[in-house]
Amino acid sequence: MSPTFTINSTTGSGTFPHFVGPFIDGSFQPTLSPSPATRALLNPCSEELIVNVNEAGPEDVDQAVKVAQAALKGPWKDFTGRKRRDILLSIANVVESHIKDLTLLEAACGKPYAEARLDIEEVIECFRHFAGFADKLHGQSFATEENLKSYTLRKPVGVCGLITSFNYPLVLAAWKIAPALACGNTIILKPAPQTPLSSLMFGQLIAKHTELPKGVLNVLPGGEAVGSAIVSHMGIQKCSFTGSGNVGRKVMAGASSSNLKSITLELGGKSPLIVFADADLDVVVEDVFGAIFSNMGQNCCAGSRLFLEKGIEEDFLKKLKARVEQVKIGNTLDPQYDFGALVDRAQFERVMGFFERAKKEGKSELVVGGKRHGSKGYFVEPTIYRNVDEKSTLAVDEIFGPVLSIMKPFSTIEEALERANATPYGLASGVWTKDLSKAERCIQELQTGVTWVNTYNLCSSHLPFGGVKESGIGKDLGAASLDEYTRVKAVTIRV
Ligand code: NAD
C-alpha cells in the first residue's frame, strides 16, 4: 500500500501516494483512457502546485461499474445490517484517527482551518448516525384481505453514482456514502475536479483499515467527461448529484435518455434572510456574517439576500461592517486566518465578474469590499452592497462568493415574504425575530427546503436536507435519505 496523503502545514507542500488517480477495487489504478489527462491542483492561497492528479475517463467508469457490480454479488450481499453498522462505525473511527491530515487536505483548498476541522467532525458524525440505521431498515406489514399477508421490505438500489461539488468535499461525499452503504449499495464517487484529494484519501483509508469489501467504494477523480459517463451509464441504478442547476438539468436528461436511473439533485440557492426590528441585532450580525461569509460564500445555503425591517438598516449596517473589518484573510493552513481563498482561478474570476457587472448596472451601492485581497492567491474581500435592486444581477444570480446583497428595507411581513420568495430557487431561508407568531408565519410561507429561525447554517445528520423549486429534488441526510438508496418491495402471500 503506497504512502497516504499528507500536507505540511508550515510549508504547504505534500506527500502523496506515488500515483494519485482513479481508485478502483481497493487500489489506485492507471487510467484506461486512451487520452489520459492530468490536472494540476494548486493551493488557492499560494497558487503553488499541491499535486498533479491523473483524472479518470469514461473507460474507467465502465471498469468501476464492473467492479461495483461484482461487489454487489460478492460477500457484501450477505453482510447483515449489524455487520454494515459495524463497518460504518469503523469508517467513522478511521476518519477520526486521521482527522488532522484530512483537515489539512480540505484547508489546502482555501477553506479556513477551523471550518475544515468542523467539516471532518461532521463527516465522522454522519457515519455514526447512519450506522444506526443499517440494522433498522424495516418495512411495514398490512392487513389487506383475509388469508393474505402483505408486507414491504427495503432492497438496496444497486450501483450508485455519487457526484459532488467542490465546496464541502468530504462532507458532501459522506452525506451520500453513509446512507448508501447503510442500505447495502455499492458506490462510484466522483468528487469535484478542484477538490478530489480528501475523497481519494478517504477511499484509500477505508480500503486499508476497514473490512469494507474491495470494490464497494470506488473513487474517480475527473470532470465533466467522467460525470456524464456516470449519469448515462446503463449499469448504474442511482445518481445522487450535488452541484449547479445547469449541470443538474444535464443529470436529469442523462438519466432520462439512459436507464431512467433514479436521481437526487442538490442544487444551488439564493437564500433570503429576513430580520425583524424586534430581533437582538448583536446576535443577528454574527449569524448573518456566518450565513454569507462562511467558506467565503461558497455555500449552497449562503444567505445572499438580506431583508431588513425598515428603521434598523443604519444600526445593523454599522455593526455588520465592524464585524467584517475583523476578518483575517490569509493562508488557510494557518489556523490564525479565518477567511480564505476561492477554490480556483475560474471561481475567482467569476466572482470578480459580478463586481464589474454591478458597477455597470449601477443599481446598488457598494458598502465594503468589491475587490481582490493582495496580489497572490484567489482571495476576494468580504463584500456588502446595499439598496440592491430586485432585478439586478446581484439580487438574481447565485454568486457563490463572499457577496451580500442588502435589499431595500421592508415594511410588512407580507411584503418581506413575497420578496423573499420571488426567486426560482428554494434551498434555505433565515428569520430573526422574538415574536413566535411572526416566526411561525415565515416558517409556513417561505418556499424553501430548510428554514432556520434565530440561527443559520445548522445542518444535522438527523434532519433531511434539500431544496424545493429549482434548488433540487430529493433529500440528503435524515431518515428521508434512506428512501433515496433503497427500493421498497411489496410482498403478498396467500396463507
Ligand atoms: P458544478 O455543477 O459545476 O459541478 C458539480 C459536479 O458536477 C462536479 O463534480 C462536476 O465535475 C460535475 N459535472 C460537471 N459536468 C457534468 C455533467 N455533464 N454530468 C455530470 N456531472 C458533471 O457545481 P460546482 O461549481 O462544483 O458547485 C457549485 C454549485 O453547487 C452551486 O450552485 C451550489 O449552490 C451547488 N451546491 C449545492 C449543494 C446542496 O446541497 N444543495 C451543496 C453544495 C453545492
Side-chain angles (χ1 to χ4, degrees):
M1 177 68 70
S2 35
T4 192
F5 298 62
T6 49
I7 298 268
N8 183 308
S9 58
T10 313
T11 63
S13 63
T15 316
F16 297 97
H18 71 277
F19 181 88
V20 180
F23 189 83
I24 301 175
D25 210 10
S27 64
F28 289 106
Q29 311 272 341
T31 173
L32 299 171
S33 167
S35 45
T38 57
R39 175 181 285 260
L41 289 186
L42 306 186
N43 179 331
C45 297
S46 62
E47 298 181 51
E48 280 164 17
L49 180 72
I50 298 175
V51 66
N52 284 307
V53 173
N54 296 286
E55 296 203 320
E59 298 77 7
D60 300 304
V61 176
D62 287 337
Q63 176 61 15
V65 170
K66 279 185 200 137
V67 164
Q69 283 172 332
L72 263 184
K73 294 183 190 137
W76 181 236
K77 178 169 174 277
D78 299 319
F79 273 38
T80 58
R82 282 186 187 178
K83 204 157 175 200
R84 291 200 305 276
R85 173 198 67 194
D86 292 345
I87 295 258
L88 266 81
L89 290 173
S90 70
I91 292 175
N93 292 342
V94 170
V95 172
E96 194 164 45
S97 57
H98 292 81
I99 192 165
K100 186 152 181 250
D101 285 333
L102 287 163
T103 298
L104 285 168
L105 282 182
E106 301 295 55
C109 303
K111 185 184 291 249
Y113 184 91
E115 288 187 40
R117 170 89 189 193
L118 286 175
D119 281 8
I120 305 302
E121 286 171 9
E122 190 174 334
V123 169
I124 296 164
E125 174 53 30
C126 182
F127 279 98
R128 293 199 171 128
H129 182 80
F130 281 98
F133 279 120
D135 61 347
K136 299 173 196 71
L137 292 171
H138 305 306
Q140 293 173 299
S141 70
F142 301 82
T144 48
E145 287 174 42
E146 223 179 300
N147 300 332
L148 292 184
K149 176 173 162 35
S150 297
Y151 63 96
T152 57
L153 50 90
R154 285 178 185 266
K155 302 285 288 175
V157 174
V159 179
C160 299
L162 312 179
I163 300 176
T164 52
S165 88
F166 69 79
N167 56 339
Y168 291 91
L170 202 53
V171 168
L172 297 175
W175 286 10
K176 299 176 191 304
I177 294 171
L181 290 182
C183 297
N185 298 283
T186 59
I187 293 169
I188 297 168
L189 168 69
K190 193 204 83 62
Q194 306 91 325
T195 56
L197 296 182
S198 53
S199 297
L200 289 166
M201 178 179 179
F202 176 83
Q204 190 198 36
L205 286 174
I206 298 322
K208 191 172 175 187
H209 299 291
T210 74
E211 287 178 32
L212 187 74
K214 311 261 179 289
V216 172
L217 172 66
N218 306 281
V219 187
L220 299 184
E224 177 161 8
V226 186
S228 61
I230 288 174
V231 163
S232 57
H233 205 289
M234 297 298 285
I236 294 179
Q237 284 75 38
K238 163 87 202 173
C239 180
S240 179
F241 170 83
T242 298
S244 62
N246 283 343
V247 178
R249 287 181 159 81
K250 292 186 192 172
V251 171
M252 195 174 225
S256 151
S257 60
S258 56
N259 58 349
L260 288 174
K261 56 180 66 61
S262 82
I263 55 170
T264 306
L265 300 178
E266 300 288 353
L267 309 176
K270 191 75 190 171
S271 299
L273 312 177
I274 301 177
V275 181
F276 290 95
D278 68 349
D280 178 340
L281 285 199
D282 289 322
V283 173
V284 182
V285 161
E286 201 50 44
D287 287 349
V288 167
F289 176 85
I292 181 63
F293 295 126
S294 67
N295 205 23
M296 291 72 62
Q298 299 169 124
N299 176 1
C300 51
C301 295
S304 49
R305 292 181 299 141
L306 176 62
F307 297 90
L308 298 170
E309 188 165 6
K310 215 168 237 167
I312 60 172
E313 311 98 272
E314 298 310 324
D315 196 14
F316 180 87
L317 201 56
K318 207 166 101 201
K319 288 174 192 277
L320 184 62
K321 214 170 146 228
R323 176 64 184 88
V324 164
E325 278 156 9
Q326 285 170 21
V327 299
K328 286 191 179 162
I329 305 179
N331 177 5
T332 48
L333 295 176
D334 182 342
Q336 72 161 303
Y337 295 107
D338 57 8
F339 200 89
L342 300 186
V343 74
D344 64 4
R345 176 163 288 282
Q347 182 65 7
F348 169 80
E349 283 172 357
R350 212 181 136 266
V351 172
M352 295 296 285
F354 280 97
F355 300 148
E356 286 306 310
R357 241 169 293 161
K359 229 184 260 170
K360 267 190 210 141
E361 285 179 7
K363 289 180 172 168
S364 40
E365 187 187 319
L366 180 66
V367 176
V368 67
K371 56 183 191 302
R372 178 179 198 172
H373 170 86
S375 55
K376 199 166 193 201
Y378 308 129
F379 296 104
V380 172
E381 289 185 358
T383 299
I384 302 174
Y385 289 92
R386 70 183 295 193
N387 285 323
V388 173
D389 185 87
E390 231 86 356
K391 293 206 162 46
S392 67
T393 314
L394 287 176
V396 172
D397 287 10
E398 184 187 35
I399 299 175
F400 222 54
V403 185
L404 175 66
S405 296
I406 305 185
M407 314 302 291
K408 291 174 184 142
F410 68 88
S411 301
T412 63
I413 188 167
E414 291 76 17
E415 181 198 340
L417 287 167
E418 193 179 326
R419 290 169 61 199
N421 284 334
T423 167
Y425 292 112
L427 188 54
S429 51
V431 179
W432 285 263
T433 177
K434 293 192 183 110
D435 182 334
L436 270 184
S437 33
K438 276 186 191 158
E440 172 60 12
R441 176 141 182 221
C442 291
I443 292 165
Q444 292 300 331
E445 294 191 26
L446 281 165
Q447 297 161 358
T448 54
V450 183
T451 295
W452 285 291
V453 177
N454 295 328
T455 184
Y456 203 79
N457 260 347
L458 287 186
C459 288
S460 156
S461 299
H462 293 262
L463 287 169
F465 179 82
V468 298
K469 298 181 3 190
E470 292 182 24
S471 288
I473 299 172
K475 298 291 177 194
D476 277 337
L477 298 179
S481 70
L482 302 174
D483 295 336
E484 311 280 335
Y485 296 100
T486 48
R487 292 221 163 103
V488 174
K489 179 163 190 165
V491 180
T492 295
I493 305 172
R494 186 175 294 284
V495 288

